[in-house]
Amino acid sequence: SGSDMHNGDKSYFMQHRNVYVVDEENSKPLPTNDWWTQILVDVPNVEGYVGQLWAYPQRVGGDTYGSYVEFPKEWNATGNALVTNSRLYILGTGFQSERAKVKSWHDWGFDFVLNNGNGKEMLVTLANGIPFTFYEFTGTSPILNFPVTSTFFRRDELARSFPYQGDCFGIEINGDHYGIYAPEGTVFEKEDNSIYVRFTGEQKFLSIAVLQDPSYLDAYYPYAFSKPINTEVSWNYNEATAILNTQYDVTTVNLRGEAETRTVQGFIPHHYKRSNVQFP
């Protein structure tokens, strides 16, 4: 084997392993220690070849079947890991992915492609601190899969029944809440523990949010279609005053072609505690 040939030195293996990016000739440097780096290399993982993507607040993964979103917000008994009570699967009709490949990346966000090599594709976009995960579909229609005990709600928090034609509804899975946002006129048909999604126009996407409670379904609605396409952090340090100024910029595109491009951006505590936070 390669390791035997090089006396256990892994450097040769690391330099010649496959790198899974859409444009393999891209000269852009590859991050080797980012929160999503494992997708770039073929590392065996019990969670599939996407591994666990801790976008905060959601955790996202994927494998041959498609992808999932979950909402870990409780600690385990020993207090050393966050655990989840639920998982929402995003599948595709006639879809089985061969591999995950990274398409583009920026300071705290990126997207990757699940592709079956036969014209069927799922493009997944996410960024740290943005509670939406964006799924765009080519050649396949999405299927949402969940436990049979799940319940459904509307923006007014009342129960949602199916079949349903619209652009938004919520799913409660074992006490966790998820928001499903779609193009106008999308048809949702429920069968057992799956919802089959049929797009009626040119736009073919789902935006899936993790929600603190059912009221967030409506609160997040204006921002649910703003997909982050670039995130950039810049800073300057004033040595005389010992003040560090940091600026975070998010660029989005509205998947429905609407004017609203604002999004929801969260920060973990050490980013904002003892800081003077200003918004443009």
Side-chain angles (χ1 to χ4, degrees):
S1 67
S3 59
D4 294 334
M5 290 170 57
H6 299 276
N7 299 319
D9 182 1
K10 296 292 186 180
S11 61
Y12 179 88
F13 169 68
M14 294 298 292
Q15 293 164 17
H16 293 82
R17 71 191 308 168
N18 290 327
V19 176
Y20 295 102
V21 292
V22 171
D23 181 5
E24 295 182 0
E25 302 302 318
N26 192 332
S27 60
K28 188 176 178 180
L30 298 174
T32 57
N33 193 30
D34 222 324
W35 58 280
W36 51 268
T37 296
Q38 74 269 13
I39 301 184
L40 291 172
V41 293
D42 193 8
V43 178
N45 191 301
V46 294
E47 285 288 342
Y49 47 57
V50 171
Q52 293 182 329
L53 300 172
W54 289 84
Y56 298 106
Q58 72 273 40
R59 185 167 63 190
V60 177
D63 204 353
T64 54
Y65 57 79
S67 179
Y68 70 79
V69 177
E70 56 189 9
F71 193 9
K73 55 183 185 293
E74 297 178 2
W75 293 99
N76 63 2
T78 55
N80 62 355
L82 280 170
V83 295
T84 182
N85 294 317
S86 64
R87 179 174 286 186
L88 176 65
Y89 287 95
I90 300 90
L91 316 175
T93 55
F95 179 81
Q96 187 172 16
S97 174
E98 294 179 349
R99 183 68 225 181
K101 287 190 175 184
V102 175
K103 186 174 182 181
S104 64
W105 59 91
H106 30 91
D107 281 357
W108 67 91
F110 83 112
D111 55 33
F112 65 94
V113 173
L114 297 170
N115 192 303
N116 77 339
N118 193 29
K120 296 181 180 181
E121 182 178 289
M122 191 183 299
L123 174 65
V124 187
T125 302
L126 61 166
N128 274 148
I130 294 181
F132 305 101
T133 306
F134 301 87
Y135 291 88
E136 297 171 76
F137 303 89
T138 301
T140 184
S141 297
I143 304 169
L144 302 175
N145 186 266
F146 41 78
V148 292
T149 55
S150 303
T151 58
F152 308 90
F153 55 95
R154 312 182 310 198
R155 288 172 64 187
D156 57 11
E157 300 182 38
L158 297 176
R160 163 64 65 200
S161 59
F162 295 91
Y164 162 64
Q165 183 169 15
D167 65 358
C168 175
F169 68 94
I171 304 177
E172 181 177 348
I173 306 174
N174 197 23
D176 293 336
H177 299 87
Y178 297 83
I180 312 298
Y181 304 88
E184 290 182 318
T186 300
V187 176
F188 301 93
E189 296 181 340
K190 182 178 179 297
E191 183 177 327
D192 297 327
N193 62 331
S194 295
I195 289 178
Y196 294 83
V197 182
R198 178 166 56 87
F199 300 116
T200 58
E202 294 299 315
Q203 299 165 349
K204 303 180 187 302
F205 71 86
L206 293 177
S207 171
I208 298 179
V210 290
L211 311 174
Q212 293 294 330
D213 61 62
S215 69
Y216 278 67
L217 182 67
D218 186 57
Y220 279 1
Y221 181 86
Y223 317 109
F225 309 107
S226 299
K227 184 183 86 165
I229 57 173
N230 191 53
T231 57
E232 186 174 358
V233 61
S234 57
W235 67 90
N236 64 76
Y237 177 64
N238 187 319
E239 188 173 352
T241 61
I243 293 176
L244 173 68
N245 288 303
T246 308
Q247 180 170 323
Y248 298 88
D249 292 301
V250 182
T251 303
T252 66
V253 60
N254 192 296
L255 291 176
R256 300 212 320 189
E258 298 170 348
E260 180 62 77
T261 56
R262 293 176 299 170
T263 187
V264 177
Q265 176 66 63
F267 294 89
I268 54 180
H270 76 263
H271 283 152
Y272 63 80
K273 283 187 175 179
R274 295 175 293 279
S275 298
N276 181 15
V277 181
Q278 297 180 350
F279 296 95

